[in-house]
Amino acid sequence: MVETAVRSGFGAPSAPAQRNRKARWKDGRLVLGVLLVTVTALAGAKLLSAADDTTTIWAAKHELKVGMPLTADDLTTVRVRFTSGGDAERYVSAEADLKGLMVGRSIGAGEFVPRDAAVPKADQGRTELPLSVATGRLPSDVAIGDVVDVWVVPKSEGESAKPLWSGVRVLQVDSVKGVSGSLARRQVLIGLASTDLTRIPTALTALSTGEPTLVRKAG
């Protein structure tokens, strides 16, 4: 038997428990790091999303002549950053349906395809008529390609508005001209089919004493 010397009649005291302060400090730093990485990733994704404000439109691969069918085989897509939504609406979006469209005027190689140059086949042989329209007598966001009814509102009181043409297409819209308010006007070019031409003399007479008004068709 081996005897062990004991200095007192009590057992040796146990070592006091120590908290792992260093481990806790490391855990806090890890959480903070994860949060920073998450915030940075979200901010970067938002920045990239905001920076991608380009619009994809069609451009001609080669010269397109009047009367040619407008197909994707003759076009290529390009991404363009426009300064305003109005500028973007002047060109044919790459998401637009090209079925039934033809080239209404010559388009040069590499040129962006304007909306007024992509016309339905039914518009072939159309007649173009310019209208000076007060800003309060047409939709504020009227755009090339919209289908509208054209009315004339007599300036004389007591006379009723009269329809001139129904379902005509807007070919061109100029920016607002003149002072702001009711005196401001916009130049609108509309396309008339052969069946609409018989009403031109009557329409011009009515327009000389009245104001043209455009009513956009839905759909």
Side-chain angles (χ1 to χ4, degrees):
M1 180 178 295
V2 179
E3 295 182 356
T4 304
V6 179
R7 294 184 180 179
S8 66
F10 300 95
S14 60
Q18 295 182 356
R19 296 181 180 179
N20 195 344
R21 295 181 180 178
K22 187 175 181 180
R24 280 194 175 182
W25 176 79
K26 285 186 176 180
D27 290 343
R29 187 175 181 182
L30 177 61
V31 172
L32 180 60
V34 171
L35 288 175
L36 288 175
V37 170
T38 303
V39 171
T40 302
L42 291 175
K46 186 175 182 180
L47 182 62
L48 289 175
S49 176
D52 187 16
D53 57 353
T54 56
T55 302
T56 305
I57 61 173
W58 289 113
K61 289 182 180 178
H62 50 80
E63 182 182 2
L64 303 179
K65 297 183 179 180
V66 176
M68 292 178 57
L70 199 60
T71 66
D73 294 338
D74 299 314
L75 305 174
T76 184
T77 58
V78 292
R79 297 188 66 85
V80 182
R81 181 175 288 105
F82 292 99
T83 57
S84 69
D87 289 340
E89 291 178 357
R90 294 173 56 189
Y91 301 97
V92 179
S93 167
E95 298 178 358
D97 185 4
L98 301 177
K99 185 178 180 180
L101 295 180
M102 58 176 289
V103 180
R105 67 168 178 79
S106 297
I107 303 173
E111 181 183 350
F112 301 158
V113 179
R115 289 186 63 178
D116 61 352
V119 299
K121 292 181 180 179
D123 286 358
Q124 189 172 13
R126 71 192 177 191
T127 297
E128 300 177 351
L129 178 69
L131 298 174
S132 177
V133 187
T135 54
R137 296 187 179 277
L138 78 170
S140 60
D141 60 344
V142 66
I144 296 171
D146 286 350
V147 176
V148 298
D149 293 341
V150 182
W151 291 66
V152 61
V153 179
K155 296 178 181 178
S156 302
E157 296 183 2
E159 296 186 30
S160 302
K162 300 177 181 179
L164 298 181
W165 293 285
S166 176
V168 298
R169 190 173 301 277
V170 175
L171 305 179
Q172 182 177 333
V173 183
D174 291 342
S175 57
V176 177
K177 297 181 178 180
V179 297
S180 60
S182 60
L183 297 180
R185 309 189 72 84
R186 301 185 72 175
Q187 299 298 317
V188 181
L189 189 67
I190 60 173
L192 302 177
S194 57
T195 54
D196 298 323
L197 302 185
T198 56
R199 293 188 57 82
I200 288 183
T202 302
L204 293 178
T205 300
L207 290 170
S208 66
T209 58
E211 285 284 353
T213 300
L214 305 187
V215 180
R216 181 166 53 197
K217 287 182 172 291

